[in-house]
Amino acid sequence: MTKKWWHDKVAYQIYPKSFYDSNGDGIGDIPGIISKLDYLHDLGVDIVWLSPCYKSPLADQGYDISDYYSIDPRFGTMEDMENLIAEAKKRNMYILMDLVVNHCSDEHEWFQKACQDPEGKYGNFFYLRDKKEGELPTNWRSYFGGPVWEDLPGTGKQYLHVFHKKQPDLNWENPELREEVYKNINWWLDKGLAGFRIDAIINIKKALPFRNYAPDREDGLCSINEMLKEAKGIGEFLGEMRDRTFKKYDAFSVGEVFNEKPEEIPDFIGEDGYFSSMFDFNETIFGASGKGWYDAAQISPDDYRNCCFESQRKVGETGFLSNIIENHDEPRGVSRYIPEGDCCLESKKMLAALNFMLRGLPFIYQGQELGMENVSFSSIDEVDDISSLDEYKVALEAGLTPEEALKAVARFSRDNARTPMQWSDEANAGFTTGSPWLKVNPNYTAINAAAQLSDPDSVWNFYKKLIALRKNPAYKETIVYGALEPVWEERHNLMAYYRKGDRTLLVIGNYQQKEQEVILPSECRKVLLNNYPDMVMENNVLKLHGYQVLILEL
Ligand code: GLC
Ligand code: CA
């Protein structure tokens, strides 16, 4: 495999609105990010991905872009963005932006022009269909609820939106649209961006001609996935985009890819793949139900391990997955993957190490390095996220009481990850001097960066050690390129694997409160990381404490 500049890096996702507010308006901003670059550098982060900060009405918090060439004033100016790129460079860091091109905002100029003249050039930038009274062009349900069709204002037509109605889908079949997308990507890469995280990209290819599928809920609609399963030929778009943009710049690209088939992996992330990498969502989608969040199954430690290993086996050494335990669309990893009641310092560190040492590129989501947890909502009025609001409705319609519906939604709400970053125990967790756009998790007095930086046993310092280990010249080859081999897979509540390269490492996590014993297959040469002060071993029998994690060199 040809070595790439990004293989040995560590990435970090920033959700700008909730990261750090520099001017007291309650909204995080780019100057705020710049002021925290040293914090990230100190942790050991190399690549920083920013969720969208382009001009946007923020109907979906910036994933609805009204101008791809400007920064939303709430987040700062273009000059701020240029400063950020320059300041990152000074620290040998790289900035990625979010590429949101399955759809734009209904406030984008293209959409406005399509409304004015649906038969003209810009009408063909979208999927428009003639409106028929009492009948929709298709019965697909949007990801955020309700039909995917909405009236195109001032015309006798309707437009397609697989997400919110303020996010009209762009017509990738139209070469003129594709040109506009490539032009924009190259414009940003010319500014010195290192690459992009690519949003919702699997939706750009639609199965044509449009048709209905069997309804799967009382609403008579069907999941978008039915149509996507039938859509063939996305590779032509993705390959063209790679060749016209990323490849020329040796840029890094990571795709938000769901439901890929094993045989497609080489095309997506192999040597000359469409993307440098793609996220592993196997754990994220575990237990999901077609009925809605309220019906989703809880993931167990064994499920978590099996999901990770399944992805690792699927990809093998074909390419590099990007590994996450959370992002801005998911609940906090420690609240989700650690059994209820067991979330503590040790279990948080265990989860961190088990995930971080997988083969692939580790991504840390803001606050993950502090062990930030889900927030509790006392009423649906405290919820901002459009997806959570829809799921609440779905749960009520399914017959849940308002309390049950709130509980179901709270478990998965995207707002869990979007509460402001907890910098200190000062007012509003030190995130803003004003009033924060979304409520701060009240546990900030206990969980915050200021306290953790100075505490050698904090989650933050554990992440710092994990990053330092990945970069340690003695182990780097093995951690970055070494093969992953699962061990003791039949054991209950135990996750363990080898990383084998020029050295042999063994990662072992006791995924439960009870002690557990394992017999080491060979002599332990060195303990590289331990989330306890001690390691109890007699002969080769290792007695693991509850939630103990060890990284050993054998
Ligand atoms: C992706 C984003 C999510 C957004 C959606 C529509 O899944 O991560 O936040 O709502 O795409 O752009
Ligand atoms: Ca601000």
Side-chain angles (χ1 to χ4, degrees):
M1 169 174 291
T2 322
K3 294 200 169 168
K4 294 279 190 187
W5 66 266
W6 49 268
H7 281 161
D8 60 356
K9 301 292 183 270
V10 171
Y12 186 97
Q13 180 189 356
I14 288 182
Y15 196 68
K17 200 171 181 188
S18 303
F19 192 60
Y20 186 64
D21 173 23
S22 72
N23 61 353
D25 64 358
I27 295 179
D29 45 54
I30 298 171
I33 298 173
I34 297 174
S35 71
K36 296 294 183 184
L37 275 181
D38 285 331
Y39 164 87
L40 297 175
H41 188 252
D42 189 22
L43 181 61
V45 167
D46 311 284
I47 298 178
V48 179
W49 150 34
L50 308 186
S51 275
C53 40
Y54 310 89
K55 194 149 190 276
S56 163
L58 303 192
D60 186 22
Q61 299 303 357
Y63 284 91
D64 47 321
I65 298 170
S66 54
D67 182 355
Y68 290 97
Y69 295 91
S70 55
I71 299 294
D72 193 277
R74 281 164 287 201
F75 296 127
T77 62
M78 189 58 76
E79 203 187 331
D80 293 332
M81 189 66 211
E82 287 161 357
N83 273 341
L84 173 61
I85 295 172
E87 287 298 320
K89 261 197 191 121
K90 281 188 202 159
R91 295 166 176 81
N92 291 319
M93 291 166 78
Y94 306 83
I95 302 291
L96 310 179
M97 284 177 86
D98 216 305
L99 184 69
V100 189
V101 287
N102 172 68
H103 44 266
C104 60
S105 161
D106 65 342
E107 297 181 29
H108 193 286
E109 189 188 2
W110 297 335
F111 191 78
Q112 304 294 325
K113 287 188 172 159
C115 295
Q116 281 152 22
D117 179 13
E119 306 299 339
K121 166 170 169 171
Y122 292 99
N124 196 26
F125 270 41
F126 300 92
Y127 290 101
L128 307 183
R129 293 292 182 269
D130 290 331
K131 182 177 174 163
K132 295 197 192 114
E133 258 338 298
E135 197 188 319
L136 293 169
T138 64
N139 68 339
W140 312 341
R141 182 186 310 106
S142 106
Y143 287 110
F144 295 149
V148 294
W149 296 99
E150 192 69 28
D151 292 352
L152 187 70
T155 69
K157 296 200 182 278
Q158 295 188 305
Y159 67 93
L160 176 79
H161 61 89
V162 304
F163 290 94
H164 192 258
K165 64 177 185 218
K166 284 186 70 65
Q167 295 168 299
D169 279 55
L170 291 165
N171 176 12
W172 274 70
E173 303 293 335
N174 177 358
E176 276 183 294
L177 177 272
R178 301 205 298 274
E179 283 307 317
E180 288 289 348
V181 171
Y182 307 151
K183 192 176 100 190
N184 177 252
I185 297 174
N186 291 333
W187 187 84
W188 279 107
L189 292 174
D190 282 333
K191 272 200 181 296
L193 271 196
F196 288 93
R197 174 266 187 182
I198 305 174
D199 184 71
I201 195 67
I202 232 58
N203 297 281
I204 63 171
K205 185 75 195 185
K206 275 62 172 172
L208 290 162
F210 290 168
R211 69 174 185 91
N212 288 336
Y213 299 87
D216 52 23
R217 287 187 198 168
E218 299 286 299
D219 59 7
L221 305 176
C222 74
S223 155
I224 279 287
N225 287 319
E226 297 308 311
M227 178 278 288
L228 290 178
K229 267 190 251 163
E230 271 194 1
K232 297 277 172 313
I234 193 171
E236 280 163 41
F237 296 157
L238 298 180
E240 184 183 85
M241 174 161 70
R242 169 200 58 208
D243 293 342
R244 298 283 309 280
T245 63
F246 313 130
K247 201 169 176 172
K248 296 193 291 183
Y249 294 80
D250 196 18
F252 173 76
S253 59
V254 51
E256 189 195 22
V257 177
F258 285 96
N259 301 326
E260 75 286 351
K261 299 176 193 76
E263 65 273 17
E264 289 172 341
I265 290 172
D267 296 337
F268 276 82
I269 56 167
E271 185 83 46
D272 190 30
Y274 308 137
F275 307 122
S276 311
S277 178
M278 65 187 187
F279 290 108
D280 175 25
F281 291 121
N282 213 21
E283 305 78 49
T284 320
I285 59 176
F286 180 90
S289 158
K291 292 184 188 167
W293 288 354
Y294 75 88
D295 191 48
Q298 174 59 37
I299 187 166
S300 73
D302 291 349
D303 298 326
Y304 179 79
R305 170 196 61 206
N306 298 344
C307 283
C308 291
F309 289 167
E310 188 182 50
S311 298
Q312 290 284 325
R313 285 198 168 100
K314 263 206 295 201
V315 171
E317 274 140 75
T318 308
F320 283 79
L321 281 170
S322 284
N323 298 310
I324 58 164
I325 66 164
E326 64 205 41
N327 65 26
H328 66 293
D329 292 330
E330 302 297 333
R332 290 289 180 175
V334 294
S335 301
R336 179 184 209 163
Y337 299 121
I338 297 169
E340 208 173 337
D342 285 2
C343 196
C344 61
L345 201 58
E346 285 75 29
S347 57
K348 287 176 179 181
K349 292 178 184 173
M350 178 209 67
L351 185 65
L354 290 177
N355 185 266
F356 205 86
M357 291 296 290
L358 293 170
R359 191 176 181 284
L361 195 62
F363 269 74
I364 299 169
Y365 176 73
Q366 66 183 43
Q368 179 184 327
E369 76 277 23
L370 307 175
M372 276 179 66
E373 301 170 7
N374 280 357
V375 66
S376 77
F377 300 101
S378 51
S379 132
I380 192 68
D381 302 330
E382 283 180 357
V383 176
D384 167 87
D385 165 36
I386 47 179
S387 174
S388 305
L389 296 173
D390 171 61
E391 292 285 352
Y392 181 73
K393 227 174 70 196
V394 169
L396 289 180
E397 279 161 15
L400 275 73
T401 65
E403 294 73 46
E404 291 165 343
L406 183 65
K407 208 170 150 216
V409 163
R411 237 174 100 206
F412 291 106
S413 176
R414 307 198 294 179
D415 283 349
N416 282 309
R418 299 177 181 187
T419 62
M421 174 77 174
Q422 293 165 205
W423 291 107
S424 71
D425 64 1
E426 286 163 37
N428 301 315
F431 160 71
T432 178
T433 53
S435 116
W437 74 275
L438 186 67
K439 90 167 195 185
V440 175
N441 192 324
N443 68 12
Y444 73 90
T445 47
I447 301 177
N448 65 69
Q452 294 201 15
L453 286 172
S454 55
D455 170 6
D457 288 327
S458 64
V459 178
W460 192 89
N461 270 302
F462 192 77
Y463 269 98
K464 185 167 171 155
K465 286 180 204 155
L466 278 169
I467 296 175
L469 178 62
R470 183 177 164 87
K471 297 190 173 178
N472 182 329
Y475 300 104
K476 191 166 147 169
E477 269 305 297
T478 305
I479 296 176
V480 175
Y481 295 103
L484 182 141
E485 239 177 66
V487 212
W488 302 308
E489 275 181 277
E490 69 300 336
R491 294 280 294 263
H492 179 51
N493 288 351
L494 185 81
M495 178 163 167
Y497 53 88
Y498 286 115
R499 296 300 315 277
K500 290 185 175 172
D502 53 351
R503 311 230 175 182
T504 299
L505 308 184
L506 179 59
V507 183
I508 315 174
N510 178 19
Y511 215 135
Q512 60 179 14
Q513 240 173 42
K514 261 201 350 232
E515 291 186 347
Q516 177 158 206
E517 283 182 3
V518 294
I519 302 172
L520 280 194
S522 57
E523 200 195 323
C524 170
R525 291 174 187 231
K526 204 168 173 190
V527 181
L528 302 181
L529 202 60
N530 182 357
N531 63 343
Y532 272 84
D534 66 332
M535 176 172 126
V536 185
M537 189 157 72
E538 255 175 70
N539 299 318
N540 261 7
V541 180
L542 186 60
K543 200 179 225 169
L544 298 158
H545 301 298
Y547 290 107
Q548 185 164 26
V549 73
L550 292 163
I551 304 176
L552 308 177
E553 182 178 4
L554 300 188

